[in-house]
């Protein structure tokens, strides 16, 4: 394990034990964009029953509940379970029992229980074959796994170049647009004039490779969503219809 990986592991373990540090670390260093990136999941949900892996503070889970989805979440940190339940209570959506203490590698649900499984900025559990085997098991035919795997702030303005340097030191980086465009053909481009976001579907990318989707019968799709200030990288696995 590299020095950066050790540092990142210690950082994550510390954040998972303190909801206030977690809130600070997911807001200020990312120029307030973390929640914007999380919500990119919402238009990609299919069906009605949704499972979130690693729900953290429960913000996205509350978003999903507010939109009328029937949701469950599995979180391995007792502190984050308590925080997520408090978020549901504060926003007056859902029930505490929707947030379970557990691990993504051992999901306490029956086969074909969910239409969509989501995970935003997951730790290394998302690369574990046991996790993807469980995701494939609990997904219904035609279901979908949506992973917001990573993001880059772009060096615009005065603050973001400084924050970007911090990200590079702690997290490393995802490939920037120019390198992706040189090596990969963009399959589809959509621009939302209302939000100013551009979504590009890419047939093969450096990100997402470590998630073993094909091993468990999930069809891979990679997307990059861009604004003037950032880029976000999503990996989507789709379970074929029966």
């Amino acid at each position: 394990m590299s020095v950066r990986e050790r540092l990142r592991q210690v950082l994550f373990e510390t954040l998972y034990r303190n909801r206030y540090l977690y809130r600070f670390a997911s807001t200020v260093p990312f120029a307030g964009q973390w929640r914007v990136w999380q919500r990119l999941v919402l238009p990609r949900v299919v069906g009605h029953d949704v499972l979130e892996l690693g729900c953290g503070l429960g913000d996205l889970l509350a978003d999903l509940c507010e939109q009328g989805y029937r949701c469950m979440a599995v979180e391995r940190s007792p502190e984050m379970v308590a925080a997520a339940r408090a978020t549901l209570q504060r926003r007056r959506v859902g029930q505490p029992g929707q947030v379970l203490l557990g691990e993504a590698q051992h999901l306490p649900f029956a086969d074909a229980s969910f239409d969509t499984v989501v995970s935003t900025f997951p730790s290394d559990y998302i690369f574990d074959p046991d996790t993807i085997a469980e995701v494939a098991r609990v997904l219904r035919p035609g279901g979908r796994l949506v992973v917001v795997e990573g993001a880059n702030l772009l060096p615009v303005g005065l603050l973001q170049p400084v924050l970007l340097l911090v990200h590079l030191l702690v997290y490393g980086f995802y490939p920037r647009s120019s390198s992706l465009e040189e090596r990969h053909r963009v399959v589809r481009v959509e621009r939302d004039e209302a939000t100013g976001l551009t979504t590009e579907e890419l047939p093969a990318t450096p990100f997402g490779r470590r998630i073993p989707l094909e091993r468990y019968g999930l069809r891979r799709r990679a997307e990059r969503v861009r604004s003037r200030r950032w880029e976000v990288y999503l990996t989507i696995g789709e379970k074929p219809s029966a």
Side-chain angles (χ1 to χ4, degrees):
M1 185 180 294
S2 69
V3 173
R4 177 184 290 155
E5 288 172 332
R6 290 194 190 97
L7 175 62
R8 186 167 55 196
Q9 184 179 46
V10 170
L11 174 63
F12 286 165
E13 291 298 329
T14 301
L15 295 179
Y16 292 151
R17 293 188 179 97
N18 189 305
R19 71 181 71 178
Y20 304 105
L21 283 177
Y22 190 107
R23 178 70 70 190
F24 175 86
S26 62
T27 304
V28 176
F30 297 95
Q33 298 303 296
W34 184 279
R35 290 284 289 125
V36 176
W37 300 337
Q38 274 194 323
R39 291 189 185 103
L40 293 175
V41 161
L42 299 177
R44 292 165 172 82
V45 171
V46 297
H48 186 65
D49 295 304
V50 181
L51 170 64
E52 183 176 10
L53 304 180
C55 64
L57 298 175
D59 296 312
L60 179 61
L61 181 64
D63 293 340
L64 289 161
C65 290
E66 284 178 348
Q67 293 206 359
Y69 294 108
R70 188 163 52 232
C71 304
M72 295 296 295
V74 171
E75 169 60 61
R76 69 180 180 88
S77 164
E79 291 81 2
M80 291 297 105
V81 168
R85 289 173 175 173
T87 296
L88 294 181
Q89 183 177 27
R90 174 174 52 82
R91 292 176 57 177
R92 298 181 180 180
V93 294
Q95 299 294 328
Q98 292 176 251
V99 186
L100 303 180
L101 180 66
E103 296 185 347
Q105 297 91 337
H106 305 283
L107 296 175
F109 305 108
D111 296 357
S113 296
F114 297 97
D115 302 301
T116 301
V117 177
V118 303
S119 181
T120 60
F121 303 103
S123 57
D124 286 351
Y125 72 80
I126 201 64
F127 307 128
D128 189 334
D130 290 342
T131 296
I132 305 307
E134 282 290 86
V135 168
R137 180 182 67 80
V138 301
L139 276 177
R140 294 175 180 138
R144 175 181 292 175
L145 167 67
V146 182
V147 181
V148 180
E149 191 177 351
N152 283 333
L153 290 173
L154 300 179
V156 297
L158 298 176
L159 178 61
Q160 289 197 183
V162 177
L163 296 176
L164 181 58
L165 178 60
V166 174
H167 298 174
L168 293 176
L169 292 173
V170 176
Y171 300 105
F173 65 94
Y174 281 80
R176 292 286 303 282
S177 299
S178 58
S179 62
L180 283 171
E181 289 164 354
E182 288 170 3
R183 290 181 291 171
H184 303 287
R185 177 176 57 87
V186 175
V187 171
R188 173 180 58 86
V189 179
E190 293 182 0
R191 179 167 177 79
D192 188 327
E193 297 299 335
T195 63
L197 299 183
T198 299
T199 300
E200 298 168 323
E201 182 180 341
L202 305 164
T205 62
F207 60 90
R209 287 178 179 172
R210 293 177 60 195
I211 305 177
L213 299 177
E214 291 85 356
R215 186 185 305 183
Y216 299 99
L218 302 180
R219 292 193 296 257
R220 181 182 304 271
R221 190 168 84 246
E223 292 184 353
R224 178 178 59 220
V225 182
R226 295 191 292 168
S227 78
R228 184 182 62 84
R229 300 178 59 189
W230 45 257
E231 297 179 341
V232 178
Y233 309 94
L234 297 97
T235 297
I236 297 172
E238 296 183 321
K239 187 171 183 177
S241 300

